[in-house]
């Protein structure tokens, strides 16, 4: 029994995606070129950015391939060429670029190549991507490509809804008319398990990104960290307040505001909310901002982010764990409060996950 209104194959999200930057740190020469390209893009000099990325991309640099894919998808600095963008996403994904793999999977789904897309969607859902959780949940509900499993379907849709994906709420409401109460209650426990697994996977990825920086790259680490908030710079550089159209921030298709691409908003300046100490600084929930093989990187990231309203006044926690130091903002009273702060940070390109003391 399928639900037609929740058809797995009718969603188009890529055009309204939130974008985030990709900075190569594997090879010093490629890293400098990719970074210079990012700077050029942020200034609105798209042809110069393309010129910087083409060399590293031809040598297989995953970040350069990914950035070029975004440029061809948006038609900035090069003619819009979706076929070329898809090829570049595929090559970046093959080189190990997770955001490229997630985007490539969605492209395949939208093009009707469902079987080819499924492994990418499953992997993204395992890491906690709400779009992938939604797609996989609908697939499990309908028994389409995967086994019919209403408990897992409901758990995945619950997680996508908690992460703010607008399509998830109406889908859950439709599922309520089919899935027995006992299965919905069991799904709550499965959702918690899946959330814990996703947080563990994201934590490993955050640590891996920092551990790939060698001793010789330490001096460049601030630039690597600075790239995370480049979405805000891109809004100014490209003359739009819409992250979906900013482009310079490159690539994570993260949390679409709607199924269709929103029209660009007029440029405007919005004053940041004043930083205030949290009235509930003793809460047990935390937002983890990264895991660092170079402890100084954690300090620099905190300095950059500590005045943002999502974490202003929160306790800074540096937690040694094996080879890495985890950076967390502590003092959230509930999971919902911490998740709201994390979601807001993700919208400006800062990866994070929610954890508990």
């Amino acid at each position: 029994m399928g639900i037609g209104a929740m058809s797995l194959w009718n969603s188009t999200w890529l055009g309204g995606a939130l974008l985030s930057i990709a900075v190569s740190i594997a090879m010093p020469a490629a890293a400098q070129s990719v970074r210079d390209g990012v700077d050029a893009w942020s200034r609105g000099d798209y042809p110069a950015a393309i010129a910087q990325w083409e060399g590293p991309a031809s040598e297989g640099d995953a970040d350069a391939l990914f950035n070029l894919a975004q440029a061809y998808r948006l038609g900035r600095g090069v003619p819009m060429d979706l076929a070329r963008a898809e090829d570049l996403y595929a090559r970046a994904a093959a080189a190990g670029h997770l955001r490229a793999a997630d985007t490539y999977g969605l492209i395949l789904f939208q093009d009707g190549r469902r079987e080819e897309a499924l492994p990418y969607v499953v992997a993204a859902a395992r890491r906690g991507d709400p779009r992938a959780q939604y797609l996989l949940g609908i697939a499990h509900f309908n028994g389409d490509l995967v086994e019919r499993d209403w408990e897992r379907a409901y758990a995945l849709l619950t997680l996508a809804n908690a992460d703010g994906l607008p399509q998830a709420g109406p889908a859950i409401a439709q599922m309520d008319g089919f899935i027995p109460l006992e299965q919905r209650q069991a799904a709550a426990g499965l959702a918690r398990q899946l959330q814990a697994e996703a947080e563990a996977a994201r934590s490993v990825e955050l640590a891996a990104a920092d551990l790939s920086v060698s001793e010789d790259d330490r001096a460049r680490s601030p630039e690597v960290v600075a790239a995370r908030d480049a979405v805000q710079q891109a809004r100014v550089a490209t003359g739009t307040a819409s992250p979906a159209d900013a482009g310079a921030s490159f690539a994570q298709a993260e949390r679409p505001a709607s199924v269709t691409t929103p029209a660009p908003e007029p440029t405007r300046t919005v004053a940041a909310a004043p930083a205030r100490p949290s009235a509930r600084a003793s809460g047990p929930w935390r937002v983890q901002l990264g895991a660092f093989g170079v402890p100084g990187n954690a300090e620099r990231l905190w300095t950059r982010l500590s005045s943002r309203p999502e974490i202003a006044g929160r306790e800074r926690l540096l937690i040694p764990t094996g080879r890495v130091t985890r950076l967390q903002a502590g003092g959230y009273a509930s999971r919902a409060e911490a998740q709201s702060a994390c979601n807001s940070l993700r919208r400006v390109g800062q990866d994070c996950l929610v954890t508990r003391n």
Side-chain angles (χ1 to χ4, degrees):
M1 178 185 300
I3 298 181
M6 296 198 300
S7 172
L8 193 60
W9 326 124
N10 292 335
S11 297
T12 52
W13 291 330
L14 289 180
L18 177 64
L19 305 172
S20 60
I21 221 158
V23 177
S24 176
I25 55 179
M27 298 179 292
Q32 186 63 53
S33 187
V34 172
R35 200 158 44 239
D36 289 346
V38 168
D39 291 341
W41 188 283
S42 296
R43 297 192 303 270
D45 190 350
Y46 307 127
I50 300 302
Q52 290 290 341
W53 293 329
E54 283 180 336
S58 69
E59 297 173 0
D61 181 89
D63 287 331
L65 288 165
F66 182 66
N67 290 356
L68 278 180
Q70 289 292 90
Y72 277 102
R73 196 188 96 205
L74 295 168
R76 293 186 179 164
V78 290
M80 181 180 292
D81 187 337
L82 298 183
R84 173 69 170 152
E86 179 184 329
D87 176 67
L88 289 163
Y89 282 129
R91 291 169 58 194
H97 200 289
L98 293 178
R99 293 171 185 167
D102 292 351
T103 304
Y104 183 55
L106 291 178
I107 289 173
L108 294 174
F109 250 115
Q110 290 179 306
D111 195 46
R113 289 172 279 172
R114 300 174 291 173
E115 293 83 356
E116 192 177 350
L118 185 62
Y120 294 99
V121 174
V122 170
R126 182 187 63 83
R127 294 193 298 271
D129 184 289
R131 302 155 308 150
Q133 289 170 335
Y134 175 86
L135 287 174
L136 191 58
I138 301 299
H140 277 297
F141 181 85
N142 290 325
D144 220 347
L145 294 179
V146 294
E147 70 276 14
R148 178 173 291 181
D149 185 339
W150 283 3
E151 183 179 318
R152 183 168 292 270
Y154 203 84
L156 287 165
L157 267 293
T158 298
L159 292 173
N161 187 55
D163 222 354
L165 191 74
Q167 294 86 354
I172 289 173
Q174 289 183 275
M175 286 185 178
D176 285 343
F178 294 90
I179 301 179
L181 177 61
E182 311 83 70
Q183 286 186 278
R184 283 182 273 152
Q185 291 173 333
L190 179 58
R192 288 192 293 271
Q193 176 187 331
L194 295 176
Q195 177 69 16
E197 292 171 357
E199 289 176 355
R202 290 173 64 82
S203 181
V204 169
E205 290 164 15
L206 288 171
D210 187 74
L211 286 170
S212 64
V213 181
S214 69
E215 287 293 318
D216 292 338
D217 290 326
R218 287 192 182 192
R220 287 186 289 274
S221 294
E223 287 82 9
V224 174
V225 173
R228 295 180 182 274
D229 63 7
V231 173
Q232 295 286 30
Q233 300 171 15
R235 293 182 182 184
V236 176
T238 59
T240 175
S242 170
D245 296 306
S249 52
F250 287 111
Q252 186 175 355
E254 186 128 293
R255 283 158 186 78
S258 63
V259 175
T260 56
T261 306
E265 302 173 6
T267 303
R268 62 181 182 273
T269 302
V270 180
R276 294 179 298 174
S278 171
R280 295 177 287 185
S282 60
W285 291 93
R286 302 173 177 180
V287 173
Q288 182 163 311
L289 303 168
F292 300 88
V294 181
N297 290 351
E299 298 276 3
R300 282 187 282 269
L301 181 58
W302 182 264
T303 298
R304 182 171 298 279
L305 297 177
S306 59
S307 62
R308 288 195 58 84
E310 298 90 346
I311 60 175
R314 303 289 176 178
E315 181 183 6
R316 184 195 67 177
L317 299 166
L318 296 173
I319 305 170
T321 307
R323 294 173 59 202
V324 302
T325 297
R326 292 184 290 152
L327 172 63
Q328 298 177 349
Y332 296 89
S334 65
R335 172 183 282 276
E337 183 185 21
Q339 190 66 60
S340 177
C342 186
N343 290 347
S344 180
L345 287 169
R346 288 176 185 170
R347 292 187 187 103
V348 294
Q350 172 59 47
D351 207 354
C352 57
L353 60 87
V354 172
T355 186
R356 185 185 174 100
N357 183 9

